[in-house]
Amino acid sequence: MLKTATFIAIVSSFVFYLLSPVPKSTYHSLYTSLSDNASISHHLYTLTRRPHIAGSAANAEAAAYVYSIFTSSDIPTHITSYRVALSYPVSRSLKLIPPPPDPPHEFELRQEVYDEDPYADAAKEVVPTFHAYAKSGTAVGPVVYVNYGRVEDYATLREMGVSVNGSVVLARYGEIFRGDIIRNAYKAGAIGALVYTDRKDYGGGGGGARWMPPSGVQMGTTYNALGDPTTPGWASTEECERISETEVEESGEVPMIPSLPVSGKDGELILMSIGGQVANDDWQGSVDAPVYRVGPGPGIVNLSYTGELVIGTIENVIGVIEGAEEPDRFVILGNHRDAWTFGAVDPNSGTAALLEIAQRLGKLQKRGWKPRRTIILCNWDAEEFGLLGSTEWVEENRELLASRAVAYLNVDCAVSEPMFYASATPQLDDLLIQATQQVQDPDNSSRTVYDLWLASSNPVKIGRLGGGGSDFAAFVQHIGIPATMIAFDNGFPVYHSLYDDYVWMKKFGDPMFQRHVAVASVWGLVALWLADAEVLPFDYLSYAEELQKYTKELEIEIKGNKDISLTPLFKSIEELRKAATIINNQKKAVVENKGWKSIWRKDQSKLRELNDRLMMAERAFTDRDGLLERSWYKHLVYGPSKYDDYGSKSFPGIDDAVEMANKLNTAESWKLAQHEIWRVSRAVKQASQVLNGVLT
């Protein structure tokens, strides 16, 4: 028989085993095993049965569906609504007057429904093709072909002796943000703009079912800022201050000339009416396309557009899983819901993945898991109009987010192709790589997503979040919150058109919905690690290395200009490198060294203070005054290009100032460039001080 003491010891050990908390890593492993591609497929089908532009009843129904999935997963959920200025078309017309003897041609401006389209009836609900926030008006003039409508394209036209003054420009989509296409046209003297989808870029050269059909049109916003145009810098709550439509126009963030998006078929017909010089080889279309000439004319177009600005309601769906130990620290996942049409890729492949994450986290909770920190699931509205839903929410919650947000993890178009892509602020690079190493390649069970990623980009390339193309912008560029964005996507041919529907996804994007599963797994793992880790897994050495690379590129750009010194920037980056090394050693001591580990655990305030330094360092890269002439953008390392809102720029303020100095070449302009270098240097030094956590 067992002695009483021995028996008690065994029972105590067994009871201790039963009562001991399950390691977080066990739940993390379980998370990846809970995938359900059938459920994701159902989510996408439900979300895309009707077109659901922001402000529509169909989009409110989609919000209700997201809400129901969150709540059925035992996630406390609420809807945050805003009253924002949304733009819709009232009337449109486009007429081509070609050179004689060809007769005038009135364009239908209609995307054709294909044979046996199961969404033919629902397609009638799609808003007529238009540019959101386009200027109402009529433009009649000869056509000039301007390639992609970039600044350098207008420089080429000037070299050719071609003026666009008084003309209507024809530009093709593909390289820069459509709002910048129209802004550049206005600055060059054009009176109107047409933007078409060239089959070389969107038709696959020879066409085919996967590609944009000839009548397909890419819709989209032309607003060059973020958030509600009538509430710049503050939230669009029910009874808030608003600026007038006239003031919106005077801000310079909406187009000053009328515009329309047109199909590849219509764009090609207009191109055939243009004479003049033959365009350069890199301006030409596909092999079987007609020869592109630049004009002006002799073809003349009559473009007419009338739109209206409506104050409508948008709805963000917010689910909150409260942290057990640090409820005031937020790990935020976000994806938008609204779409120009059906939105199977953009954005509801991401929405379906977000709902999959919600259901998996609900299952983990039933098994006893509670996150250390609070996880917030956000489904944004009105992203397509200019990131309205996320921006208004960030502006309304600015101070809370600035003091409590650990990271923001964004997904937009989650799935459209087999290759994996990711972007991040640099301290999260390693975390992204580790997550992809834990998730199976959806198309090859013998390798991981990381192996797939490595095969496509050797070494693995992680993009940066300086552009304004998705909902990470307000978090990174306005507040300075570490962020990521992942996708099996790098653009797709039916983007923003009638044909981005569930059928396209089933046939071409992800027939088995395994890539959706992989996105949910990588996305969710990063969130779990950030929410549950005792020490935040941030590495600022990656940041220092990245800044060093940018500065060396800048050094080449200024070509030894004696009016500019990069010494302050190099010195501050070296300070950041030293601070990152020190805090990495402190992290290692907590995670690996038993002696130090016990000391840190006994004094949770020290652990908290260490994590706060890691969390807050990104904020130091922001400046309260923001970028010159773009004060809403506070981040001095990452921001959009001044000439392409989709384009990501490192050191955007320096870039703007150097570009201006190169044009003006005055002492004052180079002095401003040096000032911008000092600003960034000070911000980098502040980040070092935050990491060190010691007052001077």
Side-chain angles (χ1 to χ4, degrees):
M1 292 181 64
L2 289 172
K3 293 182 179 179
T4 303
T6 304
F7 178 75
I8 292 173
I10 292 172
V11 171
S12 298
S13 297
F14 183 67
V15 170
F16 177 78
Y17 172 79
L18 291 176
L19 296 178
S20 294
V22 177
K24 297 285 189 181
S25 58
T26 302
Y27 290 117
H28 300 169
S29 298
L30 178 61
Y31 172 83
T32 57
S33 71
L34 294 173
S35 61
D36 188 346
N37 56 329
S39 176
I40 290 182
S41 173
H42 175 73
H43 291 323
L44 188 66
Y45 174 77
T46 303
L47 290 162
T48 60
R49 283 182 297 182
R50 296 173 63 191
H52 48 287
I53 193 171
S56 67
N59 200 38
E61 290 175 7
Y65 180 74
V66 172
Y67 182 93
S68 70
I69 299 301
F70 281 5
T71 54
S72 66
S73 302
D74 295 323
I75 298 174
T77 305
H78 63 275
I79 289 179
T80 300
S81 299
Y82 297 100
R83 297 280 290 165
V84 299
L86 300 171
S87 164
Y88 302 107
V90 174
S91 66
R92 319 154 300 142
S93 67
L94 181 64
K95 188 175 184 179
L96 172 65
I97 305 169
D102 294 331
H105 179 82
E106 188 85 32
F107 294 97
E108 292 185 2
L109 302 178
R110 181 175 61 86
Q111 301 186 82
E112 296 173 1
V113 175
Y114 56 88
D115 293 340
E116 300 180 2
D117 181 0
Y119 295 98
D121 288 339
K124 297 171 185 176
E125 299 177 31
V126 172
V127 173
T129 54
F130 80 116
H131 282 148
Y133 305 110
K135 183 176 177 62
S136 296
T138 298
V140 182
V143 188
V144 176
Y145 170 55
V146 297
N147 196 27
Y148 293 109
R150 300 166 296 186
V151 171
E152 56 264 41
D153 292 328
Y154 286 99
T156 298
L157 288 171
R158 286 193 298 272
E159 291 171 4
M160 297 172 70
V162 176
S163 171
V164 303
N165 202 47
S167 299
V168 176
V169 302
L170 177 68
R172 54 178 172 173
Y173 279 117
E175 291 293 328
I176 64 172
F177 172 57
R178 70 187 68 77
D180 290 305
I181 293 175
I182 296 157
R183 175 186 285 182
N184 292 343
Y186 169 72
K187 288 181 177 179
I191 59 172
L194 299 169
V195 190
Y196 79 103
T197 47
D198 193 294
R199 54 187 162 126
K200 181 179 181 180
D201 301 306
Y202 293 89
R210 182 179 185 274
W211 305 96
M212 180 78 92
S215 71
V217 176
Q218 181 190 135
M219 292 192 280
T221 188
T222 56
Y223 178 44
N224 281 85
L226 306 182
D228 182 355
T230 66
T231 62
W234 63 90
S236 299
T237 50
E238 189 69 34
E239 296 180 357
C240 67
E241 176 189 7
R242 292 184 188 277
I243 64 174
S244 66
E245 285 190 42
T246 301
E247 289 171 305
V248 170
E249 187 166 296
E250 290 173 349
S251 72
E253 304 295 357
V254 293
M256 299 300 290
I257 55 175
S259 69
L260 279 175
V262 297
S263 68
K265 179 178 68 175
D266 292 348
E268 201 163 284
L269 185 59
I270 296 169
L271 277 163
M272 292 171 68
S273 77
I274 301 175
Q277 300 176 61
V278 175
N280 295 339
D281 288 346
D282 58 341
W283 287 37
Q284 296 294 330
S286 54
V287 175
D288 54 347
V291 175
Y292 293 1
R293 297 176 180 271
V294 297
I300 294 173
V301 295
N302 185 327
L303 180 168
S304 182
Y305 174 76
T306 303
E308 62 176 345
L309 208 61
V310 175
I311 302 298
T313 299
I314 62 171
E315 297 177 322
N316 293 335
V317 185
I318 312 294
V320 181
I321 304 174
E322 188 170 318
E325 296 166 69
E326 297 182 68
D328 60 340
R329 292 293 178 262
F330 307 151
V331 176
I332 307 168
L333 294 80
N335 153 267
H336 77 97
R337 179 185 67 256
D338 65 297
W340 290 115
T341 62
F342 296 98
V345 175
D346 184 11
N348 298 130
S349 58
T351 314
L354 184 67
L355 297 181
E356 163 78 357
I357 288 173
Q359 291 179 313
R360 291 199 212 178
L361 295 183
K363 292 172 183 176
L364 289 186
Q365 287 188 93
K366 288 180 179 178
R367 287 165 169 79
W369 166 81
K370 292 290 182 186
R372 179 185 182 94
R373 302 177 185 92
T374 295
I375 294 177
I376 304 176
L377 307 179
C378 301
N379 185 229
W380 311 117
D381 203 348
E383 186 268 359
E384 296 291 4
F385 280 81
L387 318 187
L388 271 61
S390 59
T391 300
E392 299 309 310
W393 191 76
V394 167
E395 289 176 345
E396 184 171 32
N397 297 284
R398 181 187 294 112
E399 301 309 318
L400 272 178
L401 292 171
S403 61
R404 298 184 179 186
V406 171
Y408 173 70
L409 313 177
N410 191 67
V411 167
D412 194 327
C413 306
V415 179
S416 71
E417 62 169 55
M419 303 314 297
F420 182 79
Y421 298 88
S423 298
T425 47
Q427 73 275 66
L428 291 170
D429 287 358
D430 288 347
L431 198 63
L432 271 177
I433 289 171
Q434 290 167 25
T436 59
Q437 290 171 337
Q438 298 298 314
V439 177
Q440 181 180 297
D441 176 356
D443 297 307
N444 185 342
S445 60
S446 66
R447 65 181 187 179
T448 65
V449 171
Y450 177 76
D451 297 325
L452 169 68
W453 192 8
L454 191 62
S456 65
S457 177
N458 192 3
V460 159
K461 183 178 180 181
I462 298 177
R464 298 305 169 208
L465 299 172
S470 194
D471 290 302
F472 59 79
F475 292 89
V476 176
Q477 298 158 17
H478 191 57
I479 295 182
I481 293 172
T484 66
M485 182 165 170
I486 63 169
F488 285 89
D489 170 70
N490 192 32
F492 60 105
V494 297
Y495 177 68
H496 283 190
S497 76
L498 178 68
Y499 312 102
D500 179 14
D501 59 16
Y502 184 80
V503 173
W504 191 93
M505 181 62 76
K506 279 285 291 180
K507 284 186 175 180
F508 309 112
D510 189 15
M512 301 303 296
F513 289 87
Q514 296 289 12
R515 292 173 202 146
H516 285 73
V517 166
V519 166
S521 294
V522 173
W523 194 9
L525 270 182
V526 173
L528 284 169
W529 291 344
L530 288 169
D532 286 339
E534 275 193 318
V535 181
L536 290 175
F538 290 173
D539 181 10
Y540 282 90
L541 272 176
S542 295
Y543 225 124
E545 291 167 4
E546 196 81 352
L547 296 182
Q548 184 84 359
K549 182 183 77 172
Y550 298 155
T551 308
K552 288 181 177 177
E553 290 171 355
L554 182 60
E555 191 173 36
I556 295 169
E557 185 181 347
I558 62 175
K559 298 174 183 176
N561 189 307
K562 294 180 181 179
D563 295 314
I564 293 292
S565 172
L566 295 175
T567 300
L569 192 47
F570 278 120
K571 284 185 175 179
S572 63
I573 293 168
E574 178 59 20
E575 288 185 37
L576 179 65
R577 188 192 65 78
K578 291 177 180 177
T581 301
I582 291 169
I583 201 167
N584 277 359
N585 289 336
Q586 292 172 341
K587 286 165 52 185
K588 190 175 181 180
V590 176
V591 174
E592 296 180 2
N593 188 289
K594 291 182 179 179
W596 276 100
K597 189 174 183 180
S598 62
I599 292 170
W600 284 87
R601 278 185 169 168
K602 285 177 182 176
D603 189 347
Q604 286 292 308
S605 65
K606 286 189 175 182
L607 184 61
R608 171 86 164 191
E609 189 269 345
L610 174 66
N611 282 328
D612 282 355
R613 284 187 274 141
L614 291 163
M615 181 182 78
M616 297 301 292
E618 184 73 39
R619 313 290 196 272
F621 294 118
T622 63
D623 185 286
R624 66 174 64 88
D625 294 330
L627 300 180
L628 185 64
E629 298 180 353
R630 296 187 288 164
S631 60
W632 187 89
Y633 296 96
K634 309 294 185 186
H635 209 290
L636 299 188
V637 176
Y638 295 115
S641 165
K642 197 171 185 178
Y643 302 100
D644 176 17
D645 191 58
Y646 283 168
S648 176
K649 281 290 182 181
S650 52
F651 303 150
I654 298 175
D655 185 75
D656 290 348
V658 169
E659 186 164 344
M660 183 59 66
N662 280 326
K663 288 179 181 178
L664 300 177
N665 199 25
T666 62
E668 192 62 32
S669 63
W670 285 112
K671 183 179 178 182
L672 177 60
Q674 185 65 64
H675 170 66
E676 290 297 327
I677 290 168
W678 275 111
R679 287 181 74 200
V680 176
S681 302
R682 289 190 288 269
V684 175
K685 186 173 182 179
Q686 286 289 329
S688 304
Q689 289 178 238
V690 172
L691 289 177
N692 286 327
V694 179
L695 290 169
T696 58

